[in-house]
Amino acid sequence: MSTTNTSGRRKTAVARIYLNDGTGNIIVNKKEYKEYFPTLPLQYIVNQSLEVSGNAGKFDITVNVAGGGVKGQAEAVRLAIAKAIVELDPEAKPGLRAKGLVTRDDRMVERKKPGRKKARKKFQFSKR
């Protein structure tokens, strides 16, 4: 099998993955994924696409991820893995779609507006 590469995005995080046949190693920015994502919920998010599709332990994955925070990065990795699995095996798409793993979550931080404190918050109004 040749290398499959896809990308996933979430908020401002962008993950580019390279998926090969292998034993289940996941390397994120030249570190083991358990070292890069130290908490169990983040590790679960990264593995979710593989487990739902039944491909856990079948692929070696190399990830380059940048931008955003750790949760956004983990979710970007999850989307990229799901897209790569669908590219290899289109039969896995309905199962991944049912869990919402193939859909890009396009919610972003709203920009700050001029004349305001934040995106929607206004400066305090003083009557006198």
Side-chain angles (χ1 to χ4, degrees):
M1 171 193 136
S2 62
T3 302
T4 304
N5 65 321
T6 57
S7 65
R9 293 170 40 200
R10 172 73 174 100
K11 294 189 176 182
T12 56
V14 180
R16 294 183 308 268
I17 71 156
Y18 303 92
L19 189 122
N20 295 306
D21 280 332
T23 58
N25 295 331
I26 302 175
I27 306 296
V28 181
N29 289 353
K30 299 180 182 173
K31 291 182 182 177
E32 182 67 30
Y33 85 101
K34 290 184 178 181
E35 188 182 335
Y36 193 84
F37 297 114
T39 64
L40 288 175
L42 294 175
Q43 292 170 17
Y44 172 77
I45 288 171
V46 169
N47 280 319
Q48 197 172 3
S49 296
L50 293 167
E51 303 214 354
V52 168
S53 65
N55 290 317
K58 291 185 182 176
F59 299 112
D60 283 344
I61 303 170
T62 306
V63 182
N64 295 325
V65 65
V70 282
K71 179 126 193 241
Q73 287 185 350
E75 292 179 4
V77 170
R78 175 176 69 184
L79 176 63
I81 292 171
K83 284 168 64 175
I85 289 170
V86 168
E87 199 173 299
L88 290 175
D89 179 22
E91 313 257 318
K93 190 170 185 174
L96 291 168
R97 166 94 48 216
K99 296 280 185 180
L101 302 179
V102 193
T103 308
R104 164 145 162 37
D105 189 351
D106 61 349
R107 293 177 294 171
M108 302 280 275
V109 175
E110 191 173 341
R111 77 175 202 87
K112 183 193 172 298
K113 315 296 188 307
R116 299 215 175 152
K117 227 174 177 161
K118 298 195 309 190
R120 298 191 177 206
K121 185 176 183 178
K122 298 172 179 73
F123 290 106
Q124 184 171 354
F125 175 72
S126 172
K127 202 171 226 180
R128 287 174 194 87

